[in-house]
Amino acid sequence: MTVEAWVAPRAFEWGDEGKPSAIVNQQDKAAGRGFSLGVGRHGVWQFGIGTGDAWYETAAPRAAALAAGKWAHIAAVFAPSEGTISLYLNGEQVARTAIPTTARLAKADVPLLIGRHNQPAIINGTFAVNMFNGQIDEVKVHTDALTSASVRAGHEHDLQTFAGGSIPEARMAMDRSRYDGDRYRPGYHFSAPNHWMNEPHAPIQVNGKYHLFYQHNSHGPYWHNIGWGHAVSEDLVHWRDLPIALAPTAGSVAPDGVWSGDATLDENGVPVLVFTAGNDSQRPNQATGLARPVDPGDPDLVEWKMHPTLVTSQTADLDVGAGRKVRFGDFRDQDVWKEGDAWFQLVGSGVQTTSGQSVGGTVLLYTSKNLTDWTYSGPLMVGDVAAHPRTGQVWELPTFLPIGKDDQGRQRRALLVNPSFPDGPAEYSSKYVYYWVGTWDTQARRWTPDTTEPKLLDYGDHFTGPSGTVDDKGRSLVFSIAQDRRTERAHYDAGWAHNAGLPVQLSMRPDGDLGVSPVEEVSRLHVGEPLLNINEPTSVADANTRLADIKGDMLHIKLTLERGSADTFGLDVLRSPGDEERTRLFYDAPAGQLGVDRTRSGNNSSVDGNLGVHKGPLTLSNGELSLDVFLDRSMIGAYANAHKSITTRAYPFRQDSLGLRLFGDRSVVKSMTIWKMGNLTD
């Protein structure tokens, strides 16, 4: 028999259970029956055939591996009369394996499938993998063994049908419109064009354009074979999708994963990506890799090439203090910046006692003069997980940004970390970002936090994975992942998982604490004139009368409430007419706390059974609460007094949970403006 096809892989799977991603198959390998043409990790493709008592297989050499994003003509020939199985790439033989001349195909009693495996591995109990990711065309199954001349002639015939006689480019862009009508998928918070994303990271501004990268699995909405997605924007709120920037690649420093990192400019002003290189053949399997643009003049910086060697590796003997040792094996998520003629690199890790007890998370500091040779300086800071259990045993995604200078001229910075809990408990995972504000002495390489007490940046439980940059306006910007916290089945049904939070700007408040607010560019998402504009003191009852006809789940609400004598006041969003469902943003004046009550939010697809109430301290400004509230389908973001934020989600059951209502009758609406919001790709 002969099996041939034109294929254009988008990306290559991990190869779970040692199984290739099926192109054409009708197989039961365990029983030694049927056949399979598929592609494995890093584009190495193979053909197998079962005779009932044996399974014979041949694979293309690495030099003939398929390339992501490119069309190729492949053919597999089973020729028992010649005692061979042969593989052909674009008409040329690339592999030949001897088999017995007595071998005969034993049919498997399973369906013949194109692009899907007959017996796939299952991820997270939900996702069938070993599936081809890309485009397939002109599949042919012949009942005879084509000769080399016939395969070559068939390929040449195909070439003659193409414009110019050459293989066309593969059109691999994903169409975001496939998700139109999904009531929970955000419209203006950045998301991957398809499938899975976790942290957006390595934001950098180059020649007036903002580039954002993100952790991405293009095979499905689950964490697995991770590379770097890439998007570009001129205004931080409208984004254009670009091809994958970095992917796990054979023979590179990152064959098993390209995990989170950062971006900076080299000595010539050329952008450089610094990433966590995954290599499961090494311990730890995490180290620092480097990548540079193939064409620095490309305004979109589409193509990147990895540096051939690692630039930083963790060693078990790093000095992290007397009686302590570094948590060997946890070494990831770089933050890189330049001061003077030196670059600084932070890497997330953990610290243990010499006997192995967790001390807390840490951020390890390195310095360099050239971005490729780094010197270890020691821990920037070490946490105390015993005193503050929610800060974790490991710190991920360290983000260290300037927020201004104090009255003594000292540089003030904020250190943000994402706690990780490899030793448990799982209930704290992927929920929090903690921060410290302090002074940074560049010459001494010393960070002095104002207090060792950690503070929450966001009082919801969906804001994680920070990454930051300083743009040409001097703003310290932070991007985050807005965890969707949905079930695996919901991810499967939806076809996507997670999205980014809005980009926010950090600032130093008069009291020295960290302030956070949405970037001013969010106003560019406004569609048309305001739906409501209250610009003079109004009672809550009168404001609610004017709110009665305003419905929506893609809105920006700018609101200032004066407490008056109200104990609790605020705004209900995504509210059904009878108040059966709603998400409540509130201020508890006696407690001095800002919070969100999700006990009636609806729980159509959340993994959490009890959505609960989340809150934290906030001081009113002259008795007033000023809120910037962003509704984006399942996303709810609220920024209060340019000081604290709440990032949360709601998955209402009811189609009519689209209303707004103020509460707190003894409070006063000082101002309230509502806009409809557009999409990030408009």
Side-chain angles (χ1 to χ4, degrees), residues 286 314 330-334 346-350 362-364 394-398:
Q286 305 160 14
Q314 186 187 40
D330 288 292
F331 187 80
R332 56 186 175 271
D333 306 340
Q334 299 76 12
L346 300 180
V347 187
S349 188
T362 192
V363 178
L364 305 174
V394 170
W395 286 349
E396 298 179 329
L397 281 300

Side-chain angles (χ1 to χ4, degrees), residues 54 67 121 147 162 193-194 203 247 251-252 279 290 341 352 368 373 383 412 474 546 552 564 614-615 662 673 679:
T147 64
F162 301 147
N194 67 309
S252 75
N279 186 341
L290 201 71
D341 62 351
Q352 299 172 313
S368 175
D373 300 291
R412 301 278 290 171
R546 298 176 65 179
H614 311 281
K615 55 189 177 181
L662 295 158
T673 309
N679 286 294

Side-chain angles (χ1 to χ4, degrees), residues 73-143:
H73 177 226
I74 59 175
V77 179
F78 170 56
S81 61
E82 298 178 11
T84 61
I85 301 176
S86 301
L87 301 182
Y88 296 82
L89 176 65
N90 293 330
E92 299 298 324
Q93 188 177 95
V94 294
R96 184 181 178 93
T97 298
I99 60 171
T101 56
T102 56
R104 296 293 183 270
L105 169 66
K107 183 179 178 182
D109 188 22
V110 294
L112 186 150
L113 298 178
I114 296 174
R116 297 184 64 181
H117 201 287
N118 282 114
Q119 298 171 328
I122 305 298
I123 299 293
N124 299 339
T126 306
F127 300 96
V129 295
N130 313 119
M131 182 186 298
F132 184 81
N133 180 3
Q135 300 175 10
I136 303 175
D137 201 4
E138 294 289 340
V139 176
K140 299 176 182 177
V141 180
H142 305 265
T143 57

Side-chain angles (χ1 to χ4, degrees), residues 147-406:
T147 64
S148 295
S150 295
V151 174
R152 188 177 303 110
H155 178 71
E156 292 296 329
H157 175 268
D158 286 351
L159 290 181
Q160 297 308 310
T161 68
F162 301 147
S166 59
I167 298 175
E169 290 187 9
R171 298 177 181 176
M172 309 301 289
M174 293 299 299
D175 183 0
R176 287 177 173 268
S177 68
R178 68 189 297 187
Y179 300 110
D180 286 355
D182 185 330
R183 65 180 298 204
Y184 301 133
R185 181 170 167 87
Y188 60 86
H189 286 73
F190 179 79
S191 58
N194 67 309
H195 298 329
W196 170 275
M197 72 172 286
N198 47 300
E199 296 98 24
H201 52 75
I204 188 170
Q205 189 180 27
V206 183
N207 296 325
K209 290 185 177 181
Y210 295 94
H211 292 260
L212 183 65
F213 303 87
Y214 54 93
Q215 296 282 272
H216 182 48
N217 177 15
S218 68
H219 302 286
Y222 52 92
W223 191 95
H224 207 37
N225 202 22
I226 299 295
W228 279 31
H230 184 192
V232 66
S233 173
E234 295 183 359
D235 65 2
L236 287 173
V237 292
H238 295 96
W239 294 91
R240 179 163 49 88
D241 296 316
L242 295 174
I244 298 296
L246 297 173
T249 307
S252 75
V253 297
D256 299 310
V258 188
W259 301 318
S260 294
D262 202 10
T264 189
L265 300 177
D266 70 10
E267 65 276 8
N268 299 313
V270 175
V272 174
L273 303 183
V274 182
F275 58 91
T276 303
N279 186 341
D280 291 340
S281 68
Q282 299 179 354
R283 185 172 185 270
N285 68 344
Q286 305 160 14
T288 301
L290 201 71
R292 298 179 183 273
V294 173
D295 177 9
D298 174 10
D300 284 342
L301 300 172
V302 169
E303 193 173 356
W304 297 80
K305 183 177 181 180
M306 294 184 192
H307 191 69
T309 58
L310 297 171
V311 298
T312 318
S313 297
Q314 186 187 40
T315 58
D317 61 353
L318 291 178
D319 183 3
V320 291
R324 297 177 171 184
K325 64 180 180 179
V326 74
R327 190 173 178 117
F328 189 60
D330 288 292
F331 187 80
R332 56 186 175 271
D333 306 340
Q334 299 76 12
D335 181 30
V336 179
W337 75 98
K338 187 180 183 183
E339 292 184 63
D341 62 351
W343 282 272
F344 297 82
Q345 177 189 181
L346 300 180
V347 187
S349 188
V351 172
Q352 299 172 313
T353 65
T354 51
S355 62
Q357 296 296 112
S358 285
V359 174
T362 192
V363 178
L364 305 174
L365 175 64
Y366 294 79
T367 62
S368 175
K369 294 291 186 180
N370 58 13
L371 286 172
T372 55
D373 300 291
W374 293 87
T375 300
Y376 176 62
S377 291
L380 184 79
M381 185 175 177
V382 178
D384 185 346
V385 71
H388 308 290
R390 295 189 181 192
T391 59
Q393 301 99 27
V394 170
W395 286 349
E396 298 179 329
L397 281 300
T399 302
F400 194 52
L401 289 169
I403 59 171
K405 292 186 177 181
D406 63 16

Side-chain angles (χ1 to χ4, degrees), residues 550-567:
I550 297 177
K551 312 292 181 187
D553 59 2
M554 287 182 66
L555 301 174
H556 176 197
I557 304 152
K558 200 169 184 67
L559 168 67
T560 297
L561 286 166
E562 184 177 68
R563 175 193 174 182
S565 59
D567 283 343

